[in-house]
Amino acid sequence: MSEIKVLDNGPLLVTGETTLLDGEGNKLEGKAQLYLCRCGLSANKPFCNGAHKGKFESVVRA
């Protein structure tokens, strides 16, 4: 079973048994933990490369 966690001011953290497919259905290389871009700034999409730092709004609500 996999889990997806929204990291505050950061990417989506995917852990567990997961298959990641591109838009054509081809498998992408995966690891036990995947950090997926959710800001659109990564040069390595769909993976996060840290380009969001200082440019991303917090998702944590009080």
Side-chain angles (χ1 to χ4, degrees):
M1 183 161 112
S2 63
E3 177 179 279
I4 301 172
K5 183 177 182 181
V6 179
L7 299 180
D8 189 32
N9 293 317
L12 299 172
L13 171 58
V14 182
T15 56
E17 187 81 23
T18 304
T19 301
L20 185 62
L21 305 175
D22 68 12
E24 297 176 352
N26 301 307
K27 283 186 182 181
L28 297 174
E29 184 178 340
K31 299 179 181 178
Q33 286 189 327
L34 299 172
Y35 293 88
L36 299 178
C37 176
R38 64 185 183 98
C39 71
L41 299 172
S42 176
N44 191 30
K45 290 183 204 91
F47 305 104
C48 177
N49 71 352
H52 62 272
K53 291 193 174 148
K55 301 174 187 163
F56 206 50
E57 184 177 321
S58 176
V59 296
V60 175
R61 305 287 189 254

